[in-house]
Amino acid sequence: MNRLQGKTAIITGAARGMGAATAELFVAEGARVIIADVLTAEGEALAKTLGGNARFVQHDVTDEASWQRVLQAGIDLGGAVDVLVNNAGVLMFKTLQQTEKSDFERVLSVNLTGSFLGVRSIGAHMLERGRGSIVNISSVDGMKAANGLGAYCSSKWGIRGLTKVAAMEYGHKGVRVNSVHPGGVDTAMGNPYAEDKAAVNQRYQMVPMQRVGEPNEVAQTSLFLASDESSYLCGAEITVDGGMTTGFYYVGFPGAPGVE
Ligand code: NAD
């Protein structure tokens, strides 16, 4: 219940999906939370349901000046900022040949430059205090390739690299930086056609756990990284993917589901 007692967190892209699940969990664990997102109505509604320990701030992660407003909101709410979850992201399905320069730059701008701006601006505040935890939400697509996701994969591999450099430059100053790599998760991004669970799970039959993930299952990992329980993790990458990056089943062969 109190794993984040006394801590203040900024979570980007927290108006819905995994970010919202993370905000709910963090507040339940005693944190004060800034819900930062471009979606004002959803963000304000969520903050209202979470009560006095949550506040919504309209924030575009690509806008450098806006990061100072978010930082100030965190300081106003909790006195200082202890945790940043760089979660905001966009997905785009286009082959490399279909991807215009502007498409590529848009995805990189939100996913990678947005995370960099958070690591730099909120990171500066944490470095001044000599403590803090930054959780960068990458993806399994930051560890492998995926057809149709050239810009997205590039951004998520970039987040993984950014995390490693930040871990080196910040770790010895008391600020831990780690990345989380979700597999398929049942959100507007992971389930864009809003299919029912059985239909979505069908898409994951070659993955060891044979189902889509839930937003809260990723939030639990961010909670661990945000809390002092992960005090010796710095530069780590944690997959929350039901085994997707471990391997795919050779369907019908020994050891696959239903075959002894
Ligand atoms: P989602 O689309 O439900 O949520 C993304 C949130 O980011 C939205 O609230 C959106 O408004 C916000 N956002 C987008 N652009 C923004 C900007 N410029 N500034 C601020 N906020 C912005 O998707 P989700 O599944 O909850 O994704 C959360 C994170 O997890 C993303 O980084 C995504 O890439 C990553 N991820 C998702 C999956 C999946 O299957 N759902 C898998 C791996 C990684």
Side-chain angles (χ1 to χ4, degrees):
M1 279 296 285
N2 296 315
R3 292 166 69 189
L4 295 180
Q5 197 64 44
K7 292 191 193 294
T8 301
I10 292 167
I11 307 172
T12 66
R16 72 178 190 200
M18 263 187 256
T22 307
E24 285 166 12
L25 183 61
F26 279 22
V27 168
E29 292 291 345
R32 296 190 176 93
V33 172
I34 297 294
I35 296 163
D37 206 300
V38 289
L39 297 177
T40 303
E42 290 92 331
E44 280 178 346
L46 178 63
K48 204 171 166 191
T49 65
L50 294 181
N53 284 335
R55 190 170 300 166
F56 172 73
V57 177
Q58 212 279 344
H59 172 54
D60 181 340
V61 294
T62 67
D63 178 354
E64 189 169 6
S66 177
W67 276 99
Q68 290 310 314
R69 286 193 307 107
V70 175
L71 173 61
Q72 192 56 53
I75 293 169
D76 292 348
L77 185 65
V81 175
D82 305 282
V83 177
L84 167 66
V85 184
N86 272 318
N87 166 81
V90 290
L91 183 80
M92 181 191 70
F93 270 106
K94 283 189 182 183
T95 66
L96 291 173
Q97 285 301 310
Q98 292 163 345
T99 302
E100 299 292 341
K101 180 168 177 264
S102 57
D103 295 327
F104 193 81
E105 287 177 343
R106 181 180 64 84
V107 174
L108 267 284
S109 167
V110 175
N111 296 0
L112 183 54
T113 308
S115 297
F116 159 70
L117 291 174
V119 164
R120 196 173 65 166
S121 59
I122 309 303
H125 169 76
M126 291 176 173
L127 290 170
E128 264 174 34
R129 302 181 69 225
R131 60 196 166 109
S133 172
I134 299 177
V135 181
N136 289 330
I137 306 298
S138 175
S139 169
V140 290
D141 297 325
M143 307 189 109
K144 62 171 187 62
N147 53 288
L149 290 179
Y152 185 77
C153 282
S154 301
S155 73
K156 294 297 184 177
W157 280 77
I159 290 173
R160 188 174 167 206
L162 172 72
T163 303
K164 303 291 189 213
V165 176
M168 291 205 71
E169 294 185 2
Y170 292 8
H172 66 104
K173 295 177 178 167
V175 179
R176 300 182 297 105
V177 191
N178 297 287
S179 59
V180 175
H181 300 260
V185 181
D186 199 356
T187 65
M189 182 185 288
N191 183 7
Y193 307 116
E195 293 173 303
D196 66 29
K197 203 68 82 184
V200 180
N201 287 344
Q202 273 307 314
R203 298 185 188 277
Y204 292 89
Q205 291 308 296
M206 289 174 76
V207 170
M209 292 195 68
Q210 295 197 297
R211 66 169 176 84
V212 72
E214 298 301 326
N216 184 57
E217 293 180 303
V218 180
Q220 292 286 352
T221 301
S222 297
L223 167 63
F224 169 64
L225 291 173
S227 78
D228 296 337
E229 293 159 22
S230 58
S231 54
Y232 202 49
L233 273 79
C234 189
E237 45 194 45
I238 303 183
T239 52
V240 188
D241 66 349
M244 184 188 278
T245 45
T246 298
F248 285 86
Y249 288 121
Y250 291 132
V251 174
F253 282 81
V259 186
E260 291 307 319

